[in-house]
Amino acid sequence: MHTSVSGIIFDFDGTLYHMGWYMRPLITLKLFPHIWRLSRYMKVRSELANKDMGSGEQLMNELCRRLAEKSHSSPAKMQSWIFNSFYPAFIETLSLFKNSRPGINKLLEKLHSNNIKLAILSDYDMLKERCERLNIDTAYFDKIVSSEAAGALKPAVRPFAEIQKAWDLPPEKILVIGDRDDTDGIAASQLGMQFMHMEGKKAYAGPNVRSWQEIKGFLSKLENGKS
């Protein structure tokens, strides 16, 4: 990297654990008989990407309104489905991906002990429950934030900027690590933060993509303010 690092914002899905290709089919099966609702839900989320709705409540209201239209249902039923069906299925499936980033807790402990501020910023909510399912120790993180709860799905920059403000760090001293250049990468670039592209789906591959082992090796050598 070209400059020093005092804080790291990690993406979650595809970054702090490896997402196998079979994840979405398994979640879909768990959502039977409403198996088509997942694709509609994902489509609505993509429609709302990069739109700052101001609050999590306003985002959820709009998401459920659009999903209800596509599903010929009511917003209230869609919100119930999200929190009582989708998220439980999502969390349960994560058990299959435990330890898919070998040595992650030791790495987080070392970064924390070197006084490097750490955050998770995921598009999806229920982060503490998802971390617990993956055996990721949340004690090392200063901030655990979902763009959904903030009301601004990636690549909207506000959730990133709010972490920076809370840390009181110059943006160039913050490193964003994620598996998508079109979300985390764009936001980091707009705010003047550094970005490290985690290897993930082939659709998001690029010239500077790094494996987990490469990223872990780089981070393990970091000390506050140095790279």
Side-chain angles (χ1 to χ4, degrees), residues 8 10-12 16-17 94 104-113 116-122 124-146 167:
I8 303 172
F10 290 95
D11 171 50
F12 192 76
L16 291 184
Y17 72 96
L94 289 176
I104 188 166
N105 284 325
K106 287 185 179 180
L107 175 63
L108 295 172
E109 181 182 18
K110 184 173 184 180
L111 291 167
H112 180 75
S113 68
I116 295 173
K117 295 183 181 296
L118 303 175
I120 297 173
L121 178 54
S122 172
Y124 291 88
D125 210 357
M126 303 192 74
L127 273 162
K128 290 186 178 179
E129 294 87 346
R130 294 197 285 140
C131 283
E132 182 178 355
R133 185 64 64 144
L134 289 161
N135 289 334
I136 295 174
D137 194 336
T138 58
Y140 304 118
F141 291 97
D142 305 281
K143 291 284 186 180
I144 299 176
V145 181
S146 82
W167 282 349

mmCIF file of all heavy atoms in Angstrom, residues 8 10-12 16-17 94 104-113 116-122 124-146 167:
data_model
loop_
_atom_site.group_PDB
_atom_site.id
_atom_site.type_symbol
_atom_site.label_atom_id
_atom_site.label_comp_id
_atom_site.label_asym_id
_atom_site.label_seq_id
_atom_site.Cartn_x
_atom_site.Cartn_y
_atom_site.Cartn_z
ATOM 1 N N ILE A 8 -9.027 0.024 9.784
ATOM 2 C CA ILE A 8 -9.422 -0.894 8.718
ATOM 3 C C ILE A 8 -10.926 -1.125 8.778
ATOM 4 O O ILE A 8 -11.465 -1.478 9.835
ATOM 5 C CB ILE A 8 -8.697 -2.247 8.830
ATOM 6 C CG1 ILE A 8 -7.177 -2.059 8.804
ATOM 7 C CG2 ILE A 8 -9.131 -3.190 7.698
ATOM 8 C CD1 ILE A 8 -6.404 -3.326 9.112
ATOM 9 N N PHE A 10 -13.611 -3.582 7.287
ATOM 10 C CA PHE A 10 -13.809 -4.847 6.581
ATOM 11 C C PHE A 10 -15.240 -4.951 6.072
ATOM 12 O O PHE A 10 -16.193 -4.733 6.824
ATOM 13 C CB PHE A 10 -13.576 -6.042 7.513
ATOM 14 C CG PHE A 10 -12.157 -6.285 7.929
ATOM 15 C CD1 PHE A 10 -11.678 -5.773 9.118
ATOM 16 C CD2 PHE A 10 -11.302 -7.047 7.138
ATOM 17 C CE1 PHE A 10 -10.373 -6.008 9.525
ATOM 18 C CE2 PHE A 10 -10.002 -7.293 7.520
ATOM 19 C CZ PHE A 10 -9.526 -6.773 8.725
ATOM 20 N N ASP A 11 -15.388 -5.308 4.807
ATOM 21 C CA ASP A 11 -16.664 -5.833 4.338
ATOM 22 C C ASP A 11 -16.889 -7.173 5.048
ATOM 23 O O ASP A 11 -15.954 -7.730 5.642
ATOM 24 C CB ASP A 11 -16.603 -6.021 2.820
ATOM 25 C CG ASP A 11 -17.796 -6.765 2.262
ATOM 26 O OD1 ASP A 11 -18.939 -6.387 2.575
ATOM 27 O OD2 ASP A 11 -17.581 -7.748 1.529
ATOM 28 N N PHE A 12 -18.082 -7.706 4.981
ATOM 29 C CA PHE A 12 -18.358 -8.955 5.700
ATOM 30 C C PHE A 12 -18.507 -10.148 4.759
ATOM 31 O O PHE A 12 -17.639 -11.000 4.679
ATOM 32 C CB PHE A 12 -19.611 -8.797 6.559
ATOM 33 C CG PHE A 12 -19.802 -9.922 7.538
ATOM 34 C CD1 PHE A 12 -19.044 -9.992 8.684
ATOM 35 C CD2 PHE A 12 -20.746 -10.909 7.300
ATOM 36 C CE1 PHE A 12 -19.208 -11.032 9.594
ATOM 37 C CE2 PHE A 12 -20.928 -11.952 8.192
ATOM 38 C CZ PHE A 12 -20.160 -12.019 9.345
ATOM 39 N N LEU A 16 -14.854 -11.545 5.224
ATOM 40 C CA LEU A 16 -14.491 -12.192 6.494
ATOM 41 C C LEU A 16 -14.820 -13.683 6.494
ATOM 42 O O LEU A 16 -14.472 -14.394 7.425
ATOM 43 C CB LEU A 16 -15.177 -11.487 7.657
ATOM 44 C CG LEU A 16 -14.657 -10.071 7.957
ATOM 45 C CD1 LEU A 16 -15.336 -9.491 9.178
ATOM 46 C CD2 LEU A 16 -13.141 -10.055 8.128
ATOM 47 N N TYR A 17 -15.479 -14.140 5.464
ATOM 48 C CA TYR A 17 -15.649 -15.583 5.236
ATOM 49 C C TYR A 17 -15.778 -15.809 3.741
ATOM 50 O O TYR A 17 -16.149 -14.903 2.991
ATOM 51 C CB TYR A 17 -16.865 -16.142 5.987
ATOM 52 C CG TYR A 17 -18.211 -15.733 5.428
ATOM 53 C CD1 TYR A 17 -18.901 -16.558 4.543
ATOM 54 C CD2 TYR A 17 -18.802 -14.528 5.797
ATOM 55 C CE1 TYR A 17 -20.137 -16.188 4.035
ATOM 56 C CE2 TYR A 17 -20.036 -14.146 5.306
ATOM 57 C CZ TYR A 17 -20.705 -14.972 4.419
ATOM 58 O OH TYR A 17 -21.922 -14.606 3.915
ATOM 59 N N LEU A 94 -24.685 -20.021 7.386
ATOM 60 C CA LEU A 94 -23.315 -19.583 7.647
ATOM 61 C C LEU A 94 -22.487 -20.609 8.403
ATOM 62 O O LEU A 94 -21.251 -20.571 8.354
ATOM 63 C CB LEU A 94 -23.327 -18.258 8.415
ATOM 64 C CG LEU A 94 -23.785 -17.025 7.627
ATOM 65 C CD1 LEU A 94 -23.837 -15.807 8.532
ATOM 66 C CD2 LEU A 94 -22.867 -16.763 6.442
ATOM 67 N N ILE A 104 -8.218 -15.960 11.281
ATOM 68 C CA ILE A 104 -8.789 -14.617 11.310
ATOM 69 C C ILE A 104 -8.810 -14.009 12.709
ATOM 70 O O ILE A 104 -8.485 -12.830 12.898
ATOM 71 C CB ILE A 104 -10.201 -14.590 10.675
ATOM 72 C CG1 ILE A 104 -10.669 -13.140 10.541
ATOM 73 C CG2 ILE A 104 -11.205 -15.420 11.470
ATOM 74 C CD1 ILE A 104 -11.856 -12.954 9.655
ATOM 75 N N ASN A 105 -9.160 -14.790 13.735
ATOM 76 C CA ASN A 105 -9.237 -14.213 15.075
ATOM 77 C C ASN A 105 -7.859 -13.833 15.618
ATOM 78 O O ASN A 105 -7.709 -12.808 16.295
ATOM 79 C CB ASN A 105 -9.955 -15.175 16.024
ATOM 80 C CG ASN A 105 -11.458 -15.176 15.817
ATOM 81 O OD1 ASN A 105 -12.052 -14.146 15.507
ATOM 82 N ND2 ASN A 105 -12.084 -16.331 15.959
ATOM 83 N N LYS A 106 -6.852 -14.622 15.310
ATOM 84 C CA LYS A 106 -5.490 -14.268 15.722
ATOM 85 C C LYS A 106 -5.032 -12.990 15.031
ATOM 86 O O LYS A 106 -4.360 -12.144 15.631
ATOM 87 C CB LYS A 106 -4.529 -15.416 15.410
ATOM 88 C CG LYS A 106 -4.674 -16.610 16.344
ATOM 89 C CD LYS A 106 -3.599 -17.652 16.057
ATOM 90 C CE LYS A 106 -3.732 -18.827 17.022
ATOM 91 N NZ LYS A 106 -2.696 -19.860 16.767
ATOM 92 N N LEU A 107 -5.407 -12.852 13.768
ATOM 93 C CA LEU A 107 -5.050 -11.641 13.031
ATOM 94 C C LEU A 107 -5.742 -10.422 13.626
ATOM 95 O O LEU A 107 -5.110 -9.370 13.829
ATOM 96 C CB LEU A 107 -5.440 -11.793 11.562
ATOM 97 C CG LEU A 107 -5.247 -10.553 10.677
ATOM 98 C CD1 LEU A 107 -3.778 -10.170 10.602
ATOM 99 C CD2 LEU A 107 -5.819 -10.794 9.286
ATOM 100 N N LEU A 108 -7.041 -10.544 13.909
ATOM 101 C CA LEU A 108 -7.784 -9.435 14.505
ATOM 102 C C LEU A 108 -7.202 -9.053 15.863
ATOM 103 O O LEU A 108 -7.072 -7.863 16.183
ATOM 104 C CB LEU A 108 -9.261 -9.810 14.648
ATOM 105 C CG LEU A 108 -10.041 -10.035 13.355
ATOM 106 C CD1 LEU A 108 -11.422 -10.597 13.663
ATOM 107 C CD2 LEU A 108 -10.155 -8.742 12.541
ATOM 108 N N GLU A 109 -6.834 -10.057 16.653
ATOM 109 C CA GLU A 109 -6.239 -9.801 17.959
ATOM 110 C C GLU A 109 -4.930 -9.014 17.820
ATOM 111 O O GLU A 109 -4.670 -8.067 18.566
ATOM 112 C CB GLU A 109 -5.981 -11.115 18.682
ATOM 113 C CG GLU A 109 -5.377 -10.945 20.069
ATOM 114 C CD GLU A 109 -5.080 -12.277 20.732
ATOM 115 O OE1 GLU A 109 -5.015 -13.295 20.031
ATOM 116 O OE2 GLU A 109 -4.906 -12.279 21.968
ATOM 117 N N LYS A 110 -4.103 -9.398 16.844
ATOM 118 C CA LYS A 110 -2.827 -8.724 16.641
ATOM 119 C C LYS A 110 -3.032 -7.290 16.187
ATOM 120 O O LYS A 110 -2.369 -6.364 16.680
ATOM 121 C CB LYS A 110 -1.983 -9.479 15.613
ATOM 122 C CG LYS A 110 -0.600 -8.883 15.414
ATOM 123 C CD LYS A 110 0.265 -9.756 14.527
ATOM 124 C CE LYS A 110 1.671 -9.177 14.425
ATOM 125 N NZ LYS A 110 2.558 -10.002 13.571
ATOM 126 N N LEU A 111 -3.948 -7.068 15.237
ATOM 127 C CA LEU A 111 -4.227 -5.715 14.768
ATOM 128 C C LEU A 111 -4.741 -4.841 15.914
ATOM 129 O O LEU A 111 -4.321 -3.686 16.066
ATOM 130 C CB LEU A 111 -5.251 -5.753 13.638
ATOM 131 C CG LEU A 111 -4.774 -6.357 12.314
ATOM 132 C CD1 LEU A 111 -5.962 -6.618 11.392
ATOM 133 C CD2 LEU A 111 -3.763 -5.443 11.626
ATOM 134 N N HIS A 112 -5.633 -5.404 16.712
ATOM 135 C CA HIS A 112 -6.192 -4.676 17.858
ATOM 136 C C HIS A 112 -5.101 -4.329 18.863
ATOM 137 O O HIS A 112 -5.061 -3.205 19.383
ATOM 138 C CB HIS A 112 -7.286 -5.530 18.504
ATOM 139 C CG HIS A 112 -7.937 -4.878 19.686
ATOM 140 N ND1 HIS A 112 -8.841 -3.855 19.558
ATOM 141 C CD2 HIS A 112 -7.812 -5.114 21.022
ATOM 142 C CE1 HIS A 112 -9.256 -3.479 20.761
ATOM 143 N NE2 HIS A 112 -8.648 -4.219 21.659
ATOM 144 N N SER A 113 -4.215 -5.274 19.120
ATOM 145 C CA SER A 113 -3.132 -5.030 20.085
ATOM 146 C C SER A 113 -2.145 -3.985 19.581
ATOM 147 O O SER A 113 -1.459 -3.339 20.378
ATOM 148 C CB SER A 113 -2.401 -6.336 20.405
ATOM 149 O OG SER A 113 -1.681 -6.809 19.277
ATOM 150 N N ILE A 116 -4.654 -0.578 16.014
ATOM 151 C CA ILE A 116 -5.302 -0.273 14.738
ATOM 152 C C ILE A 116 -6.803 -0.429 14.923
ATOM 153 O O ILE A 116 -7.278 -1.477 15.373
ATOM 154 C CB ILE A 116 -4.788 -1.192 13.624
ATOM 155 C CG1 ILE A 116 -3.294 -0.919 13.384
ATOM 156 C CG2 ILE A 116 -5.579 -0.996 12.337
ATOM 157 C CD1 ILE A 116 -2.637 -1.870 12.426
ATOM 158 N N LYS A 117 -7.536 0.611 14.606
ATOM 159 C CA LYS A 117 -8.987 0.569 14.776
ATOM 160 C C LYS A 117 -9.593 -0.354 13.719
ATOM 161 O O LYS A 117 -9.170 -0.356 12.564
ATOM 162 C CB LYS A 117 -9.572 1.975 14.666
ATOM 163 C CG LYS A 117 -9.119 2.909 15.790
ATOM 164 C CD LYS A 117 -9.777 4.254 15.670
ATOM 165 C CE LYS A 117 -9.306 5.202 16.769
ATOM 166 N NZ LYS A 117 -9.699 4.732 18.115
ATOM 167 N N LEU A 118 -10.601 -1.131 14.136
ATOM 168 C CA LEU A 118 -11.207 -2.130 13.266
ATOM 169 C C LEU A 118 -12.719 -1.946 13.215
ATOM 170 O O LEU A 118 -13.357 -1.685 14.240
ATOM 171 C CB LEU A 118 -10.887 -3.541 13.748
ATOM 172 C CG LEU A 118 -9.398 -3.913 13.884
ATOM 173 C CD1 LEU A 118 -9.255 -5.299 14.494
ATOM 174 C CD2 LEU A 118 -8.697 -3.837 12.538
ATOM 175 N N ALA A 119 -13.281 -2.123 12.025
ATOM 176 C CA ALA A 119 -14.730 -2.042 11.859
ATOM 177 C C ALA A 119 -15.197 -3.072 10.855
ATOM 178 O O ALA A 119 -14.451 -3.484 9.966
ATOM 179 C CB ALA A 119 -15.140 -0.647 11.386
ATOM 180 N N ILE A 120 -16.441 -3.500 11.021
ATOM 181 C CA ILE A 120 -17.148 -4.275 9.999
ATOM 182 C C ILE A 120 -18.226 -3.369 9.437
ATOM 183 O O ILE A 120 -18.965 -2.722 10.184
ATOM 184 C CB ILE A 120 -17.813 -5.534 10.583
ATOM 185 C CG1 ILE A 120 -16.788 -6.506 11.150
ATOM 186 C CG2 ILE A 120 -18.650 -6.238 9.508
ATOM 187 C CD1 ILE A 120 -17.413 -7.686 11.877
ATOM 188 N N LEU A 121 -18.309 -3.318 8.110
ATOM 189 C CA LEU A 121 -19.411 -2.612 7.452
ATOM 190 C C LEU A 121 -19.995 -3.542 6.400
ATOM 191 O O LEU A 121 -19.419 -3.755 5.340
ATOM 192 C CB LEU A 121 -18.936 -1.308 6.807
ATOM 193 C CG LEU A 121 -20.003 -0.517 6.045
ATOM 194 C CD1 LEU A 121 -21.223 -0.232 6.922
ATOM 195 C CD2 LEU A 121 -19.438 0.784 5.498
ATOM 196 N N SER A 122 -21.154 -4.109 6.732
ATOM 197 C CA SER A 122 -21.838 -5.054 5.848
ATOM 198 C C SER A 122 -23.109 -4.429 5.316
ATOM 199 O O SER A 122 -23.739 -3.605 5.987
ATOM 200 C CB SER A 122 -22.186 -6.327 6.617
ATOM 201 O OG SER A 122 -23.006 -7.192 5.851
ATOM 202 N N TYR A 124 -25.753 -6.153 4.917
ATOM 203 C CA TYR A 124 -26.828 -6.864 5.608
ATOM 204 C C TYR A 124 -26.719 -6.688 7.117
ATOM 205 O O TYR A 124 -25.628 -6.513 7.667
ATOM 206 C CB TYR A 124 -26.795 -8.352 5.255
ATOM 207 C CG TYR A 124 -27.168 -8.624 3.818
ATOM 208 C CD1 TYR A 124 -26.199 -8.616 2.825
ATOM 209 C CD2 TYR A 124 -28.484 -8.863 3.455
ATOM 210 C CE1 TYR A 124 -26.533 -8.843 1.496
ATOM 211 C CE2 TYR A 124 -28.832 -9.101 2.127
ATOM 212 C CZ TYR A 124 -27.848 -9.078 1.151
ATOM 213 O OH TYR A 124 -28.188 -9.303 -0.158
ATOM 214 N N ASP A 125 -27.866 -6.796 7.769
ATOM 215 C CA ASP A 125 -27.954 -6.573 9.211
ATOM 216 C C ASP A 125 -27.706 -7.876 9.989
ATOM 217 O O ASP A 125 -27.253 -8.863 9.439
ATOM 218 C CB ASP A 125 -29.321 -5.988 9.550
ATOM 219 C CG ASP A 125 -29.285 -5.078 10.771
ATOM 220 O OD1 ASP A 125 -28.221 -4.935 11.390
ATOM 221 O OD2 ASP A 125 -30.341 -4.502 11.104
ATOM 222 N N MET A 126 -27.998 -7.837 11.279
ATOM 223 C CA MET A 126 -27.850 -8.967 12.207
ATOM 224 C C MET A 126 -26.401 -9.469 12.219
ATOM 225 O O MET A 126 -26.112 -10.659 12.163
ATOM 226 C CB MET A 126 -28.846 -10.084 11.863
ATOM 227 C CG MET A 126 -30.284 -9.602 11.880
ATOM 228 S SD MET A 126 -31.532 -10.897 11.814
ATOM 229 C CE MET A 126 -31.437 -11.566 13.469
ATOM 230 N N LEU A 127 -25.483 -8.524 12.311
ATOM 231 C CA LEU A 127 -24.061 -8.844 12.211
ATOM 232 C C LEU A 127 -23.527 -9.621 13.397
ATOM 233 O O LEU A 127 -22.694 -10.517 13.233
ATOM 234 C CB LEU A 127 -23.257 -7.551 12.019
ATOM 235 C CG LEU A 127 -23.121 -7.119 10.563
ATOM 236 C CD1 LEU A 127 -22.726 -5.663 10.458
ATOM 237 C CD2 LEU A 127 -22.114 -8.002 9.858
ATOM 238 N N LYS A 128 -23.965 -9.282 14.581
ATOM 239 C CA LYS A 128 -23.448 -10.009 15.749
ATOM 240 C C LYS A 128 -23.856 -11.474 15.698
ATOM 241 O O LYS A 128 -23.064 -12.363 16.017
ATOM 242 C CB LYS A 128 -23.920 -9.337 17.040
ATOM 243 C CG LYS A 128 -23.254 -7.986 17.260
ATOM 244 C CD LYS A 128 -23.604 -7.376 18.604
ATOM 245 C CE LYS A 128 -22.865 -6.054 18.796
ATOM 246 N NZ LYS A 128 -23.190 -5.412 20.095
ATOM 247 N N GLU A 129 -25.091 -11.724 15.277
ATOM 248 C CA GLU A 129 -25.557 -13.113 15.146
ATOM 249 C C GLU A 129 -24.778 -13.836 14.054
ATOM 250 O O GLU A 129 -24.444 -15.020 14.194
ATOM 251 C CB GLU A 129 -27.045 -13.144 14.821
ATOM 252 C CG GLU A 129 -27.949 -12.626 15.926
ATOM 253 C CD GLU A 129 -28.175 -11.123 15.886
ATOM 254 O OE1 GLU A 129 -27.437 -10.405 15.161
ATOM 255 O OE2 GLU A 129 -29.092 -10.658 16.591
ATOM 256 N N ARG A 130 -24.474 -13.159 12.972
ATOM 257 C CA ARG A 130 -23.740 -13.790 11.876
ATOM 258 C C ARG A 130 -22.283 -14.039 12.263
ATOM 259 O O ARG A 130 -21.712 -15.071 11.911
ATOM 260 C CB ARG A 130 -23.858 -12.934 10.608
ATOM 261 C CG ARG A 130 -25.293 -12.899 10.085
ATOM 262 C CD ARG A 130 -25.379 -12.428 8.663
ATOM 263 N NE ARG A 130 -25.193 -10.989 8.534
ATOM 264 C CZ ARG A 130 -24.500 -10.420 7.559
ATOM 265 N NH1 ARG A 130 -23.877 -11.153 6.656
ATOM 266 N NH2 ARG A 130 -24.412 -9.109 7.488
ATOM 267 N N CYS A 131 -21.681 -13.091 12.983
ATOM 268 C CA CYS A 131 -20.307 -13.299 13.470
ATOM 269 C C CYS A 131 -20.248 -14.498 14.424
ATOM 270 O O CYS A 131 -19.324 -15.315 14.346
ATOM 271 C CB CYS A 131 -19.807 -12.055 14.186
ATOM 272 S SG CYS A 131 -19.309 -10.710 13.095
ATOM 273 N N GLU A 132 -21.230 -14.592 15.298
ATOM 274 C CA GLU A 132 -21.263 -15.703 16.257
ATOM 275 C C GLU A 132 -21.351 -17.037 15.527
ATOM 276 O O GLU A 132 -20.672 -18.002 15.882
ATOM 277 C CB GLU A 132 -22.454 -15.531 17.202
ATOM 278 C CG GLU A 132 -22.554 -16.614 18.259
ATOM 279 C CD GLU A 132 -23.717 -16.399 19.205
ATOM 280 O OE1 GLU A 132 -24.401 -15.357 19.100
ATOM 281 O OE2 GLU A 132 -23.958 -17.282 20.054
ATOM 282 N N ARG A 133 -22.170 -17.103 14.488
ATOM 283 C CA ARG A 133 -22.330 -18.344 13.726
ATOM 284 C C ARG A 133 -21.028 -18.736 13.029
ATOM 285 O O ARG A 133 -20.737 -19.919 12.859
ATOM 286 C CB ARG A 133 -23.444 -18.156 12.699
ATOM 287 C CG ARG A 133 -23.820 -19.394 11.910
ATOM 288 C CD ARG A 133 -24.402 -20.485 12.780
ATOM 289 N NE ARG A 133 -25.639 -20.125 13.404
ATOM 290 C CZ ARG A 133 -26.650 -20.964 13.605
ATOM 291 N NH1 ARG A 133 -26.578 -22.219 13.172
ATOM 292 N NH2 ARG A 133 -27.730 -20.577 14.242
ATOM 293 N N LEU A 134 -20.210 -17.733 12.676
ATOM 294 C CA LEU A 134 -18.953 -17.981 11.975
ATOM 295 C C LEU A 134 -17.755 -18.077 12.916
ATOM 296 O O LEU A 134 -16.622 -18.240 12.452
ATOM 297 C CB LEU A 134 -18.704 -16.860 10.958
ATOM 298 C CG LEU A 134 -19.624 -16.856 9.737
ATOM 299 C CD1 LEU A 134 -19.616 -15.489 9.066
ATOM 300 C CD2 LEU A 134 -19.217 -17.940 8.748
ATOM 301 N N ASN A 135 -18.004 -17.933 14.218
ATOM 302 C CA ASN A 135 -16.920 -17.944 15.211
ATOM 303 C C ASN A 135 -15.921 -16.814 14.987
ATOM 304 O O ASN A 135 -14.708 -16.970 15.191
ATOM 305 C CB ASN A 135 -16.187 -19.291 15.227
ATOM 306 C CG ASN A 135 -17.037 -20.402 15.818
ATOM 307 O OD1 ASN A 135 -17.931 -20.148 16.618
ATOM 308 N ND2 ASN A 135 -16.762 -21.634 15.423
ATOM 309 N N ILE A 136 -16.420 -15.653 14.570
ATOM 310 C CA ILE A 136 -15.584 -14.468 14.452
ATOM 311 C C ILE A 136 -15.753 -13.644 15.721
ATOM 312 O O ILE A 136 -16.874 -13.274 16.081
ATOM 313 C CB ILE A 136 -15.975 -13.637 13.212
ATOM 314 C CG1 ILE A 136 -15.698 -14.433 11.930
ATOM 315 C CG2 ILE A 136 -15.224 -12.307 13.201
ATOM 316 C CD1 ILE A 136 -16.193 -13.762 10.672
ATOM 317 N N ASP A 137 -14.659 -13.379 16.410
ATOM 318 C CA ASP A 137 -14.702 -12.686 17.694
ATOM 319 C C ASP A 137 -14.934 -11.196 17.468
ATOM 320 O O ASP A 137 -14.089 -10.505 16.887
ATOM 321 C CB ASP A 137 -13.386 -12.908 18.446
ATOM 322 C CG ASP A 137 -13.480 -12.521 19.911
ATOM 323 O OD1 ASP A 137 -14.345 -11.694 20.253
ATOM 324 O OD2 ASP A 137 -12.675 -13.041 20.713
ATOM 325 N N THR A 138 -16.066 -10.693 17.937
ATOM 326 C CA THR A 138 -16.413 -9.286 17.727
ATOM 327 C C THR A 138 -15.743 -8.350 18.734
ATOM 328 O O THR A 138 -15.833 -7.129 18.589
ATOM 329 C CB THR A 138 -17.934 -9.087 17.816
ATOM 330 O OG1 THR A 138 -18.398 -9.534 19.097
ATOM 331 C CG2 THR A 138 -18.644 -9.863 16.718
ATOM 332 N N ALA A 139 -15.053 -8.906 19.729
ATOM 333 C CA ALA A 139 -14.456 -8.071 20.781
ATOM 334 C C ALA A 139 -13.378 -7.140 20.245
ATOM 335 O O ALA A 139 -13.059 -6.122 20.874
ATOM 336 C CB ALA A 139 -13.871 -8.959 21.874
ATOM 337 N N TYR A 140 -12.809 -7.481 19.099
ATOM 338 C CA TYR A 140 -11.700 -6.689 18.558
ATOM 339 C C TYR A 140 -12.157 -5.508 17.700
ATOM 340 O O TYR A 140 -11.348 -4.686 17.299
ATOM 341 C CB TYR A 140 -10.771 -7.586 17.730
ATOM 342 C CG TYR A 140 -10.252 -8.769 18.505
ATOM 343 C CD1 TYR A 140 -10.554 -10.076 18.113
ATOM 344 C CD2 TYR A 140 -9.482 -8.593 19.645
ATOM 345 C CE1 TYR A 140 -10.090 -11.167 18.834
ATOM 346 C CE2 TYR A 140 -9.009 -9.675 20.375
ATOM 347 C CZ TYR A 140 -9.318 -10.961 19.954
ATOM 348 O OH TYR A 140 -8.859 -12.032 20.679
ATOM 349 N N PHE A 141 -13.452 -5.414 17.436
ATOM 350 C CA PHE A 141 -13.958 -4.371 16.551
ATOM 351 C C PHE A 141 -14.460 -3.161 17.341
ATOM 352 O O PHE A 141 -15.196 -3.295 18.311
ATOM 353 C CB PHE A 141 -15.092 -4.915 15.679
ATOM 354 C CG PHE A 141 -14.639 -5.922 14.665
ATOM 355 C CD1 PHE A 141 -14.748 -7.281 14.915
ATOM 356 C CD2 PHE A 141 -14.077 -5.511 13.471
ATOM 357 C CE1 PHE A 141 -14.321 -8.220 13.989
ATOM 358 C CE2 PHE A 141 -13.640 -6.431 12.523
ATOM 359 C CZ PHE A 141 -13.762 -7.798 12.796
ATOM 360 N N ASP A 142 -14.051 -1.979 16.873
ATOM 361 C CA ASP A 142 -14.543 -0.737 17.468
ATOM 362 C C ASP A 142 -15.946 -0.413 16.971
ATOM 363 O O ASP A 142 -16.744 0.183 17.694
ATOM 364 C CB ASP A 142 -13.616 0.429 17.094
ATOM 365 C CG ASP A 142 -12.174 0.177 17.478
ATOM 366 O OD1 ASP A 142 -11.852 0.339 18.657
ATOM 367 O OD2 ASP A 142 -11.391 -0.219 16.596
ATOM 368 N N LYS A 143 -16.218 -0.798 15.720
ATOM 369 C CA LYS A 143 -17.499 -0.508 15.094
ATOM 370 C C LYS A 143 -18.012 -1.737 14.359
ATOM 371 O O LYS A 143 -17.261 -2.385 13.618
ATOM 372 C CB LYS A 143 -17.366 0.645 14.088
ATOM 373 C CG LYS A 143 -17.086 2.006 14.710
ATOM 374 C CD LYS A 143 -18.356 2.562 15.326
ATOM 375 C CE LYS A 143 -18.146 3.965 15.825
ATOM 376 N NZ LYS A 143 -19.387 4.511 16.419
ATOM 377 N N ILE A 144 -19.291 -2.063 14.543
ATOM 378 C CA ILE A 144 -19.955 -3.121 13.795
ATOM 379 C C ILE A 144 -21.234 -2.514 13.225
ATOM 380 O O ILE A 144 -22.183 -2.235 13.959
ATOM 381 C CB ILE A 144 -20.265 -4.339 14.682
ATOM 382 C CG1 ILE A 144 -18.966 -4.926 15.244
ATOM 383 C CG2 ILE A 144 -21.031 -5.404 13.898
ATOM 384 C CD1 ILE A 144 -19.178 -6.075 16.207
ATOM 385 N N VAL A 145 -21.226 -2.272 11.922
ATOM 386 C CA VAL A 145 -22.266 -1.448 11.292
ATOM 387 C C VAL A 145 -22.836 -2.173 10.083
ATOM 388 O O VAL A 145 -22.103 -2.814 9.326
ATOM 389 C CB VAL A 145 -21.668 -0.092 10.835
ATOM 390 C CG1 VAL A 145 -22.740 0.781 10.194
ATOM 391 C CG2 VAL A 145 -21.018 0.632 12.010
ATOM 392 N N SER A 146 -24.156 -2.048 9.891
ATOM 393 C CA SER A 146 -24.757 -2.518 8.640
ATOM 394 C C SER A 146 -25.288 -1.319 7.871
ATOM 395 O O SER A 146 -25.883 -0.400 8.442
ATOM 396 C CB SER A 146 -25.883 -3.525 8.901
ATOM 397 O OG SER A 146 -27.093 -2.883 9.219
ATOM 398 N N TRP A 167 -13.911 7.690 14.294
ATOM 399 C CA TRP A 167 -12.501 7.391 14.561
ATOM 400 C C TRP A 167 -11.637 8.649 14.603
ATOM 401 O O TRP A 167 -10.531 8.615 15.126
ATOM 402 C CB TRP A 167 -11.968 6.444 13.494
ATOM 403 C CG TRP A 167 -12.373 5.027 13.674
ATOM 404 C CD1 TRP A 167 -12.973 4.468 14.768
ATOM 405 C CD2 TRP A 167 -12.201 3.961 12.722
ATOM 406 N NE1 TRP A 167 -13.188 3.131 14.556
ATOM 407 C CE2 TRP A 167 -12.722 2.795 13.314
ATOM 408 C CE3 TRP A 167 -11.664 3.892 11.441
ATOM 409 C CZ2 TRP A 167 -12.709 1.551 12.667
ATOM 410 C CZ3 TRP A 167 -11.649 2.680 10.787
ATOM 411 C CH2 TRP A 167 -12.166 1.511 11.390
#
